Amino acid sequence: MKEFYTVGEAAKLAGVTRETLRHYDRVGLVRPSRRDEWTGYRYYTEQDVVRLKTVRALQQMDLPLREIRRVLAYESLEQIIVFLEEAERRADEKIASLEYSKAKIQLARRDYETKLLAGEQGNEAAVRRLPERVILLSDKLEQPTLENLWSYQRHFYVQLGFDRREEFAFEDVAGVYTEN
């Protein structure tokens, strides 16, 4: 095991850029264990590289550098455990959000694939088969509103017979249309 690593070597081991290491040093997040007084070159130990990897892992949790600095200053294991529990909760929320987004994307993709298979591209004509529908017409409707639509549905069932009610379902998209 090597005693000291140059900026380039430490950066490669930690999976960051050289400029990132210099930035961490400037902001006091991870300082090199040794600095050559004549050249100003920075040298990092194995422990420094571990600290750099920790910073990188915390950044991947979307923590800002000032929060990472606070976490690295924890002295008690209890503080670290509480922090990690909170980080795990936030990660679970992020995963749930991403899974929801993925489901929406998959739904949209399937919709477009269905349209593609049905030949609904561009200006091409498309034929879509819909389930059979029943339209309720009433000559008793004086003032059409969505509020009184349910009264007319009950009237429909009375006319049809309640024993056939299961054959028909009204969609939430049902509406009132008026035309003479």
Side-chain angles (χ1 to χ4, degrees):
M1 179 166 59
K2 199 169 178 178
E3 188 176 351
F4 289 102
Y5 299 97
T6 64
V7 169
E9 292 169 332
K12 187 173 181 178
L13 289 170
V16 297
T17 66
R18 294 174 185 180
E19 184 51 41
T20 298
L21 289 187
R22 291 181 186 105
H23 178 69
Y24 290 170
D25 185 18
R26 283 191 299 271
V27 299
L29 189 60
V30 180
R31 297 205 183 270
S33 290
R34 184 173 157 238
R35 186 185 295 254
D36 186 291
E37 63 183 73
W38 296 103
T39 63
Y41 289 176
R42 299 169 174 91
Y43 294 96
Y44 294 86
T45 64
E46 190 69 35
Q47 285 181 325
D48 296 332
V49 172
V50 169
R51 187 172 173 96
L52 289 167
K53 288 180 179 182
T54 302
V55 169
R56 183 76 181 119
L58 293 172
Q59 279 186 309
Q60 289 176 334
M61 294 167 38
D62 292 332
L63 288 177
L65 292 181
R66 98 178 133 263
E67 177 77 10
I68 293 171
R69 184 181 301 117
R70 188 176 63 81
V71 170
L72 292 176
Y74 287 160
E75 293 184 12
S76 78
L77 294 177
E78 289 81 15
Q79 288 178 303
I80 295 170
I81 290 169
V82 168
F83 166 77
L84 291 174
E85 286 171 345
E86 177 62 22
E88 183 178 5
R89 185 192 60 74
R90 286 193 306 244
D92 287 341
E93 288 174 359
K94 189 181 275 190
I95 289 168
S97 175
L98 288 171
E99 286 175 345
Y100 176 77
S101 295
K102 182 180 178 181
K104 297 292 264 184
I105 291 167
Q106 289 172 333
L107 184 64
R109 188 192 78 229
R110 281 192 298 268
D111 184 49
Y112 282 107
E113 288 172 346
T114 301
K115 288 178 181 179
L116 178 66
L117 291 174
E120 293 185 24
Q121 288 186 10
N123 295 327
E124 297 177 23
V127 176
R128 184 181 295 172
R129 305 263 183 239
L130 299 174
E132 188 176 319
R133 296 172 186 233
V134 174
I135 298 175
L136 170 63
L137 301 174
S138 174
D139 58 354
K140 304 204 185 293
L141 185 61
E142 294 176 13
Q143 186 171 3
T145 65
L146 288 175
E147 288 78 31
N148 65 15
L149 178 62
W150 299 113
S151 302
Y152 289 97
Q153 288 177 1
R154 281 193 299 278
H155 176 72
F156 172 77
Y157 287 135
V158 168
Q159 296 294 318
L160 177 69
F162 281 98
D163 56 325
R164 295 188 58 204
R165 183 178 183 154
E166 294 298 318
E167 296 177 43
F168 300 91
F170 289 92
E171 296 184 37
D172 289 339
V173 293
V176 176
Y177 303 95
T178 60
E179 187 173 304
N180 294 333

